[in-house]
Amino acid sequence: MTLHNLALARGTVDRIARRRTDQEWIDAAWKDPRTRVLVVYQGHALLRDDELVFVAPEEAPAGTRFLLGEDSGGVVYFGVSAPLGAPGPFGDGVRAASLREVGALLPDRDAGLLTHAVALANWHDAHVCCPLDGTPTVPDAAGHSTRCPKDGSEHFPRTDPAVIMLVTDPEDRCLLARNVAWPTRRVSILAGFVEPGESAEQAVIREVAEETGITVTNVCYVGSQPWPMPRSLMLGFRAEAPAGQAITVDREELAEAHWWSRAGLLAALEARELALPPPVSIARHIIEAWYGAPLPSTWVGSR
Ligand SMILES: [Zn+2]
């Protein structure tokens, strides 16, 4: 099983990493009236009809700037991390929305640009000082790294790997769980961060055992997507639980965990007894890939 068309793993714009240190080229691109600037702030951007609203460089607010890339028509895209301002001047139907809300609605180009921009903006917002001596850092490589002006050390964006896994039993039922912080009906597959010095496969085995007491085998990678809220990379897996094991829920993490057959899951969703994660999440895609078709249900609440 390989996942395709993950909402936040799309994009049509070339990241042109080779241009990030070419200041002459960057300055010329910033003066080009065709250049488009995407303003992002705390994970949000302005949208019109489910497409991103861009501004020309001269209209862009002051803020941390980063080069996002160039499309096949030669149009260059930058991001700027700065307050969005009121949508009013952009005309009717313009609204601010988060990547989480609109990631699955945007066309491929815009989904890729917003995911890239939110990831970089979140990193710049949270990493403003040199970790070695505390000196405020300055952006470098067109916003794709920072440098300490005192000791010259270079710092790169953080991405935290996390595993998310669909576990099946010998009857091909899948394990769905509810986090203690979630509303009553919401369930998803298990997930957790990869620890230092650990492989992704080891993390899958450890997390499933910690949260449910189940020992899994045949851990198989199925695909990944960035989840820059604030800085995760979700690595999707399938794993199998050999027969004869009881679920022992870790009450610190989970309120409940149960095996679901395809027919049982569909019936519970149609009766609105359960709600699955939204289509923007890799979890939803992994669950539907196991089920074999799209499933009804919307995520309860905004988280
Ligand atoms: Zn330093």
Side-chain angles (χ1 to χ4, degrees):
M1 184 181 91
T2 306
L3 300 173
H4 298 286
N5 297 318
L6 292 166
L8 304 189
R10 298 178 290 151
T12 60
V13 170
D14 183 346
R15 291 185 173 223
I16 52 170
R18 67 190 182 282
R19 295 294 194 189
R20 291 175 190 162
T21 51
D22 186 345
Q23 197 57 47
E24 202 176 319
W25 186 91
I26 289 169
D27 291 343
W30 188 257
K31 290 196 183 87
D32 187 333
R34 292 195 307 155
T35 291
R36 304 286 82 192
V37 181
L38 175 62
V39 182
V40 290
Y41 191 63
Q42 295 178 348
H44 289 66
L46 293 180
L47 283 94
R48 180 191 292 114
D49 299 334
D50 296 332
E51 291 196 14
L52 293 174
V53 172
F54 297 92
V55 296
E58 71 263 25
E59 297 165 344
T64 305
R65 186 194 305 173
F66 31 85
L67 176 64
L68 294 173
E70 183 176 25
D71 70 18
S72 57
V75 174
V76 176
Y77 297 86
F78 286 89
V80 170
S81 178
L84 301 180
F90 295 96
D92 289 345
V94 173
R95 70 190 205 280
S98 70
L99 176 60
R100 187 192 301 265
E101 291 166 57
V102 299
L105 305 175
L106 294 170
D108 290 353
R109 180 199 68 174
D110 289 6
L113 287 170
L114 185 56
T115 305
H116 189 181
V118 165
L120 278 172
N122 284 348
W123 174 64
H124 281 291
D125 289 350
H127 295 78
V128 294
C129 293
C130 172
L132 303 175
D133 61 11
T135 304
T137 51
V138 291
D140 203 358
H144 284 260
S145 63
T146 59
R147 187 175 294 279
C148 172
K150 194 168 171 192
D151 60 25
S153 59
E154 249 185 309
H155 307 284
F156 293 92
R158 283 272 308 272
T159 295
D160 295 345
V163 290
I164 182 158
M165 47 279 180
L166 184 137
V167 178
T168 48
D169 74 358
E171 294 170 47
D172 204 24
R173 297 182 299 175
C174 93
L175 185 59
L176 295 177
R178 181 163 62 87
N179 189 284
V180 287
W182 294 350
T184 315
R185 296 187 295 134
R186 188 186 300 180
V187 292
S188 188
I189 51 178
L190 301 178
F193 286 108
V194 179
E195 293 192 342
E198 185 178 50
S199 74
E201 290 82 358
Q202 288 173 319
V204 169
I205 294 167
R206 177 183 53 76
E207 284 284 345
V208 175
E210 283 177 4
E211 297 191 354
T212 64
I214 299 284
T215 300
V216 294
T217 56
N218 293 337
V219 176
C220 288
Y221 174 74
V222 295
S224 70
Q225 84 164 354
W227 190 256
M229 281 80 81
R231 56 176 174 270
S232 296
L233 173 65
M234 305 303 298
L235 306 167
F237 288 87
R238 293 274 307 254
E240 293 174 10
Q245 302 189 70
I247 296 172
T248 309
V249 166
D250 170 10
R251 296 285 170 195
E252 301 258 305
E253 292 264 341
L254 301 182
E256 56 183 323
H258 303 285
W259 296 110
W260 289 90
S261 68
R262 288 178 179 78
L265 177 60
L266 181 62
L269 293 171
E270 287 178 338
R272 302 191 71 81
E273 292 162 6
L274 283 188
L276 293 179
V280 71
S281 68
I282 188 172
R284 178 63 169 264
H285 288 257
I286 295 175
I287 294 166
E288 291 185 343
W290 161 80
Y291 182 79
L295 282 162
S297 142
T298 49
W299 195 241
V300 186
S302 59
R303 249 192 78 190

